[in-house]
Amino acid sequence: MANLSVALAGLNLKNPILTASGTFGYGQEYEDFMDLSRLGGVVTKSITKEPRAGNPPFRVTEVPGGMLNSIGLANVGMEAFVKEKLPFLRKIRTRVIVNIAGNSVNDYETVVSRLDREEGIDAYEINLSCPNVKEGGLTFGKNPAEVFRITQNVRLHTKRPLIVKLTPNVTSIGDLAQAAVEGGADILSAINTLVGMAVDVKTRKPILGKITGGFSGPALKSIALAKVFEVVQRVSVPVIGIGGIFSAEDVMEFLLVGASAVQIGTANFINPGISEKIVRDLQTLCDEQGIKHVKEIIGKLEIHEGAVFSQ
Ligand code: RRO
């Protein structure tokens, strides 16, 4: 049987399958649907300093090829996370990655410092890419100088692996990747959702309460593959691929373009047990292809002779 373990800059995973932030609650919501210990790890919904109620409805809507969300960072806040959610996560026998968001550099520093006092967290994913809140997230996340500044400041507060999650809503995701690495990121994850919109022609109103939202789902995959490819050409830290992954074949595409692991997002809403199924299917796919260790295929895309990559 193929060995599925991967090592990402101090974050060792039993397999490359993680769940994507915002699609997997705080893990416990999925315990009836799968054996969570079979996953490479779980990434929580973004945690902020204070609890947040999120945006007005509608907050999600289906669109061709995927869905839009405008959740607005609804979460329990860092203190309730530590008291009510972390005790469960400590018991699941897989890696726990806490996604963190904020409105200022100080917010990110406060949340990381607080969580760093707690056992049972294997890494942080710094969300610099929320498309649905005006104050923070995307405002920082689009600007390489801000990405550098936040990463550098957060870095001072933890020795745990730091993942910076990048937005695709920019001209050059490579510039963001480089800024995050220069600021001290150990690992990058890409991509967050693409800004999108849907309109009700009867009411002539936007369907989402906040007008626009983040697009995710199967149609995001080809865009995400190109963005991950762009990032891995630019930096040498491990990259976690995210976007429209619904099968083991999708996972393999991301590994071939250079991702060291992946996150499963929107697929969890269609089949809440799919992440564990993808782990099983990846095992079968590797065995069928005679792959001894999944890490053999990371970045092994065979480029057509003479082809030149330009973004
Ligand atoms: O909560 C959200 O609306 C949200 C976040 Br924080 C994010 O990073 N990406 C997204 O699509 N939605």
Side-chain angles (χ1 to χ4, degrees):
M1 292 243 289
N3 183 335
L4 294 187
S5 67
V6 287
L8 288 73
L11 181 65
N12 297 326
L13 307 176
K14 61 181 90 169
N15 64 63
I17 311 301
L18 305 166
T19 58
S21 179
T23 67
F24 213 70
Y26 305 98
Q28 190 157 14
E29 293 86 340
Y30 283 81
E31 71 172 332
D32 293 341
F33 299 102
M34 74 176 84
D35 175 358
L36 294 166
S37 75
R38 301 297 299 272
L39 302 176
V42 164
V43 185
T44 68
K45 174 64 184 163
S46 299
I47 305 297
T48 51
K49 193 166 133 192
E50 304 296 340
R52 288 179 59 103
N55 288 340
F58 289 118
R59 308 210 291 197
V60 290
T61 188
E62 280 189 51
V63 291
M67 61 174 277
L68 296 172
N69 86 81
S70 168
I71 306 302
L73 270 174
N75 80 99
V76 296
M78 67 179 183
E79 289 304 336
F81 173 75
V82 167
K83 284 191 194 68
E84 295 161 20
K85 310 296 180 186
L86 195 52
F88 173 82
L89 290 168
R90 285 193 183 110
K91 292 188 301 198
I92 60 177
R93 288 181 289 120
T94 188
R95 298 296 177 205
V96 173
I97 300 168
V98 179
N99 185 293
I100 294 173
N103 293 331
S104 64
V105 178
N106 187 260
D107 280 359
Y108 286 91
E109 290 179 302
T110 305
V111 180
V112 169
S113 306
R114 174 68 188 90
L115 296 181
D116 227 52
R117 296 186 350 232
E118 299 296 328
E119 296 292 312
I121 297 171
D122 296 294
Y124 302 109
E125 183 177 65
I126 303 302
N127 189 0
L128 297 179
S129 48
C130 176
N132 302 322
V133 290
K134 220 179 38 221
E135 323 85 72
L138 200 52
T139 326
F140 304 135
K142 279 179 163 177
N143 180 339
E146 290 290 293
V147 169
F148 172 79
R149 191 167 71 97
I150 295 178
T151 310
Q152 194 181 39
N153 281 288
V154 169
R155 179 76 281 174
L156 301 173
H157 298 275
T158 184
K159 291 197 163 53
R160 288 176 175 159
L162 207 55
I163 306 166
V164 172
K165 185 167 180 176
L166 304 175
T167 178
N169 297 299
V170 287
T171 309
S172 172
I173 198 169
D175 289 351
L176 299 181
Q178 191 175 327
V181 172
E182 285 171 359
D186 301 298
I187 301 166
L188 302 177
S189 57
I191 56 177
N192 207 317
T193 50
L194 269 182
V195 173
M197 186 170 172
V199 175
D200 182 333
V201 294
K202 289 201 199 88
T203 62
R204 301 189 173 180
K205 289 183 177 163
I207 292 175
L208 295 175
K210 275 287 251 190
I211 305 176
T212 60
F215 174 79
S216 63
L220 197 62
K221 186 182 76 173
S222 53
I223 296 164
L225 280 166
K227 296 293 179 198
V228 168
F229 189 61
E230 186 176 337
V231 170
V232 300
Q233 303 301 307
R234 186 72 173 263
V235 295
S236 49
V237 301
V239 176
I240 301 172
I242 320 163
I245 299 174
F246 278 66
S247 68
E249 285 78 7
D250 294 340
V251 174
M252 208 172 260
E253 288 189 61
F254 277 88
L255 298 178
L256 286 167
V257 301
S260 300
V262 298
Q263 295 178 7
I264 312 298
T266 303
N268 294 310
F269 298 142
I270 295 167
N271 171 3
I274 198 163
S275 301
E276 187 188 1
K277 179 180 184 306
I278 291 175
V279 174
R280 281 198 305 273
D281 292 350
L282 183 65
Q283 183 76 64
T284 308
L285 188 59
C286 287
D287 292 340
E288 279 169 6
Q289 293 200 6
I291 294 163
K292 298 255 174 327
H293 196 139
V294 74
K295 70 180 185 192
E296 284 165 32
I297 63 168
I298 296 172
K300 291 292 156 54
L301 188 71
E302 297 191 12
I303 308 283
H304 306 293
E305 208 176 321
V308 178
F309 171 65
S310 64
Q311 60 261 4

